[in-house]
Amino acid sequence: MAFSKLEQNILKAKGLSEDNIQALVDAGIESKQDFQTVGDAGTLAALSGLEQSVAAEVMAWAVGPQAASTSSSSSTSSASVLNPSVVVESADIVKCAHCQHRQPKDYKSGDLCVSCGRQVERFATCHWCAASGPGNFCRSCGAEFVPVADFEIAVLLKREGVAKDQIAQRVRDMSADEKDTLWGRIRSLRGHS
């Protein structure tokens, strides 16, 4: 028998007899590490003929409580690992745009973050109506804000007749070369005005 004297005594304390221990050895389970390969109590019971409750106690000792369950419940627990629980936060929660720290319930637009001290919401200027505000969309006209670096490109696209709801997407889809070309046109317009 490959089980150490201590391992044999532990197995006996878990409810196994000498015959049960020999059945484990006959099944190829000769050390505590072999239980890792077995995986769960249901498989151990099938291999050794042990009762399910005894097999669960042995597996809990050998590899931890997660393997003490039967194979059907272990597949359920592995399914929960594949589909982790979803946390739904309240719609009135405001998080800092810089450090993601939750702001107090009395937060008002324009307040500084209680954690990092920076402006909680990024403010942007609308390329369509020139209003400014927090968020991703203009509160005056509904246009989607563009990054500050692309503001003048968006204004040029507006002047050229591109629809309000298409400008932000066009700016996102532009390559660096296309933006450089538009910046050249913006510079030339500045020189002529």
Side-chain angles (χ1 to χ4, degrees):
M1 235 184 274
F3 285 112
S4 71
K5 186 72 171 164
L6 177 61
E7 289 173 336
Q8 290 179 39
N9 289 336
I10 292 171
L11 289 172
K12 287 178 185 174
K14 298 293 178 189
L16 275 68
S17 65
E18 288 287 339
D19 292 336
N20 294 135
I21 294 173
Q22 187 58 48
L24 291 176
V25 172
D26 292 343
I29 304 168
E30 299 179 344
S31 68
K32 187 175 177 182
Q33 290 79 22
D34 290 338
F35 288 106
Q36 188 74 33
T37 304
V38 172
D40 60 58
T43 305
L44 179 63
L47 287 173
S48 63
L50 293 173
E51 291 181 30
Q52 185 65 38
S53 61
V54 175
E57 282 194 48
V58 171
M59 289 303 291
W61 162 73
V63 294
Q66 73 276 5
S69 60
T70 62
S71 59
S72 63
S73 61
S74 69
S75 66
T76 304
S77 65
S78 65
S80 67
V81 170
L82 296 175
N83 299 319
S85 61
V86 175
V87 176
V88 179
E89 293 182 331
S90 174
D92 64 346
I93 290 176
V94 177
K95 291 187 176 181
C96 177
H98 306 284
C99 70
Q100 298 302 311
H101 188 271
R102 287 175 70 167
Q103 300 305 303
K105 289 283 186 192
D106 63 346
Y107 167 82
K108 291 180 183 61
S109 186
D111 289 351
L112 300 180
C113 177
V114 295
S115 177
C116 69
R118 297 169 74 184
Q119 188 81 33
V120 172
E121 297 173 280
R122 290 190 173 107
F123 274 72
T125 302
C126 178
H127 60 274
W128 194 261
C129 70
S132 64
N136 295 324
F137 293 90
C138 177
R139 293 182 180 179
S140 296
C141 71
E144 184 178 355
F145 289 137
V146 296
V148 175
D150 296 329
F151 177 78
E152 292 191 57
I153 293 175
V155 171
L156 179 66
L157 292 175
K158 175 191 172 191
R159 287 182 191 159
E160 291 181 348
V162 177
K164 173 172 59 173
D165 59 340
Q166 296 176 354
I167 291 177
Q169 185 63 44
R170 289 257 314 255
V171 169
R172 273 193 298 274
D173 293 343
M174 283 184 187
S175 68
D177 291 337
E178 290 172 318
K179 287 182 180 181
D180 285 342
T181 302
L182 288 178
W183 272 111
R185 289 177 50 203
I186 291 168
R187 283 187 208 95
S188 68
L189 287 172
R190 283 183 188 160
H192 289 81
S193 2

